[in-house]
Amino acid sequence: MKLCRFQTRDGEIKIGFVSNDCLLDLTLAGINQMLPLLESDNPAKQLTQLSASSLPRIASSEIKLLAPVERQEVWAAGVTYLRSKKARMEESDFSATAYDRVYAAERPELFFKSLAEKVVPTGEPVGIRRDARWSVPEPELALVLNSRGKVVGYTIGNDMSSRDIEGENLLYLPQAKVYERSCALCPWITLAATEEEARAWNITIEIARGGSAVFSGATSAGQLKRSFTELAGFLFRSQVFPHGAVLLTGTGIVPPDQFSLQAGDTVTIRIDGIGSLQNPVVVV
Ligand code: DO4
Ligand code: MG
């Protein structure tokens, strides 16, 4: 069961619901925003109680899919897969112990990634910094959390990163991670999946240049070292999110060191159980 936000040809923003492979407009059911729905402990139950047959079907050619965030802050966890720890320790002698320690520590690395209004939807360009030499996408399973820190759904995030800036000095992390067009989210929020089900999903990425694949990689969400409740619990410690939050859970796929994104590349990320996120790349 999936939810989305979409824009009609006359500019209206609406909430959609995928039922039996059909996209249904939830306006007639009185649902004009995602947040109140995500605030209920079981949005999927609320949606199954709707009479889907009475809701208008939407043709995907008639609408533009938006990022599935309204006022949520987007945060990210880091160094949660062995692959990410290894790559980062190689990228920086200077910070290698910090990555090693945080992978093993009780407290995870969590950092602010984006305001909702800055999130890039599928189809629109993600950015590589003009002052970076080494830029990569990070394909990540993202947890959709309500204001009580409960995981109510899942989406796909791309935590675009400047590896040379991060590698030069860990204090530059906010510049390596938070810049124009550095965060993209898939349009779909999958509801009603347990942590056990979500950990069985495969995560894949393909980067195309001039019509050919220049990098592809895969992992499983099951390789994530920390539990979803652990990550959400730390994010909500001494912190409030009145509109909920989206938490990217870290990357388990890192391209080889000689690879850097270029303007004109296309990044496609897929996660079983959710769908796909595809963005061209521009220099910002
Ligand atoms: O420590 C830097 C960021 C790590 C990260 O974004 C990841 O592992 O996905
Ligand atoms: Mg990341």
Side-chain angles (χ1 to χ4, degrees):
M1 184 179 294
K2 294 181 195 180
L3 270 183
C4 68
R5 289 172 74 232
F6 63 90
Q7 189 166 34
T8 61
R9 287 203 168 162
D10 52 15
E12 260 190 286
I13 295 178
K14 297 184 167 199
I15 308 302
F17 164 49
V18 178
S19 169
N20 297 327
D21 289 335
C22 294
L23 178 58
L24 305 173
D25 178 353
L26 285 170
T27 316
L28 282 185
I31 298 172
N32 303 308
Q33 283 194 316
M34 260 187 182
L35 286 182
L37 195 59
L38 298 177
E39 275 307 294
S40 92
D41 268 340
N42 197 342
K45 191 168 166 205
Q46 201 175 325
L47 289 171
T48 36
Q49 283 161 354
L50 295 174
S51 157
S53 56
S54 63
L55 297 173
R57 278 170 76 149
I58 306 291
S60 51
S61 55
E62 295 295 305
I63 54 144
K64 176 178 162 34
L65 287 168
L66 304 175
V69 273
E70 287 164 339
R71 298 182 68 187
Q72 298 98 320
E73 293 172 29
V74 182
W75 284 66
V79 201
T80 49
Y81 288 77
L82 256 185
R83 178 70 190 104
S84 176
K85 179 184 96 146
K86 188 171 170 288
R88 289 188 150 85
M89 288 178 72
E90 285 164 6
E91 134 197 310
S92 170
D93 288 344
F94 186 72
S95 314
T97 26
Y99 295 117
D100 199 25
R101 282 192 193 185
V102 82
Y103 183 77
E106 188 201 348
R107 184 187 292 274
E109 177 196 5
L110 297 175
F111 57 93
F112 175 76
K113 183 67 187 176
S114 184
L115 294 172
E117 65 260 36
K118 292 188 173 183
V119 170
V120 176
T122 196
E124 294 202 0
V126 286
I128 50 177
R129 292 182 65 117
R130 70 186 64 235
D131 60 353
R133 285 173 288 100
W134 187 13
S135 302
V136 292
E138 294 192 353
E140 306 190 8
L141 174 67
L143 309 178
V144 179
L145 304 164
N146 68 17
S147 65
R148 295 179 299 289
K150 182 176 159 61
V151 179
V152 286
Y154 305 88
T155 187
I156 304 173
N158 181 352
D159 170 25
M160 292 287 289
S161 303
S162 313
R163 289 192 65 189
D164 55 324
I165 296 176
E166 179 184 334
E168 187 180 338
N169 188 324
L170 205 41
L171 294 177
Y172 295 152
L173 189 78
Q175 294 174 74
K177 292 288 191 177
V178 186
Y179 57 88
E180 188 186 355
R181 301 188 166 276
S182 64
C183 178
L185 291 178
C186 159
W188 309 110
I189 293 181
T190 294
L191 303 170
T194 63
E195 173 157 352
E196 198 186 344
E197 287 163 341
R199 291 184 85 91
W201 293 340
N202 291 311
I203 303 174
T204 64
I205 185 166
E206 186 176 284
I207 303 171
R209 185 169 297 159
S212 314
V214 283
F215 173 73
S216 55
T219 189
S220 156
Q223 299 296 311
L224 176 63
K225 180 178 181 259
R226 298 178 188 264
S227 73
F228 300 166
T229 43
E230 180 187 353
L231 291 174
F234 271 98
L235 183 65
F236 277 68
R237 269 199 196 183
S238 299
Q239 179 60 288
V240 287
F241 295 98
H243 313 294
V246 173
L247 177 58
L248 277 55
T249 56
T251 189
I253 306 174
V254 183
D257 288 356
Q258 57 281 10
F259 180 86
S260 181
L261 283 171
Q262 292 178 10
D265 289 354
T266 302
V267 180
T268 307
I269 302 171
R270 293 191 176 83
I271 301 187
D272 300 336
I274 303 176
S276 64
L277 168 65
Q278 185 171 69
N279 304 93
V281 176
V282 293
V283 177
V284 294

